[in-house]
Amino acid sequence: MGVAFLVIAIIGEVIATSFLRASQGFTQLVPTLVVVVGYGFTFYFFSLALQTIPVGIAYAIWSGVGIVLISIIAFVVYKQVLDLPALIGMGLILAGVLVINLFSHSAMH
């Protein structure tokens, strides 16, 4: 269940972070509520994931996948351009997450 909780936490974090810009410095009610509720939801499920996944591994996966997903959303929704170094960096982040999950004995399998 730890992996499922981590996936839910990542989804919640991506949704909440995606609404940060729309909240306009927490001056817009609905986007602000999505951010606050989303992060609360995220940290609750992240805490559940930490019951079975080591914190360093869980955080590396959470932040790595979150960075890539938020960058994709920023590209699609806000038309932010990703240059070659950004794409290479995200590829390296994904490679790191894969290495942790496939080869590390620290990760929960």
Side-chain angles (χ1 to χ4, degrees):
M1 284 304 292
V3 173
F5 290 144
L6 183 57
V7 168
I8 293 168
I10 291 168
I11 292 168
E13 188 263 338
V14 168
I15 291 169
T17 302
S18 297
F19 275 81
L20 272 173
R21 183 171 174 180
S23 76
Q24 297 179 7
F26 297 118
T27 61
Q28 301 299 311
L29 181 61
V30 174
T32 297
L33 290 174
V34 172
V35 170
V36 172
V37 171
Y39 280 126
F41 178 88
T42 294
F43 286 115
Y44 172 73
F45 280 96
F46 190 64
S47 73
L48 295 178
L50 294 180
Q51 293 176 354
T52 57
I53 302 173
V55 67
I57 300 299
Y59 191 74
I61 294 167
W62 178 34
S63 59
V65 173
I67 288 168
V68 172
L69 291 176
I70 289 299
S71 296
I72 292 168
I73 290 170
F75 175 76
V76 172
V77 175
Y78 298 116
K79 308 299 184 223
Q80 292 180 354
V81 178
L82 300 173
D83 59 9
L84 184 60
L87 294 171
I88 291 170
M90 285 187 281
L92 291 170
I93 290 168
L94 284 177
V97 170
L98 287 172
V99 166
I100 289 169
N101 280 296
L102 297 174
F103 302 111
S104 175
H105 296 293
S106 299
M108 186 187 155
H109 295 284

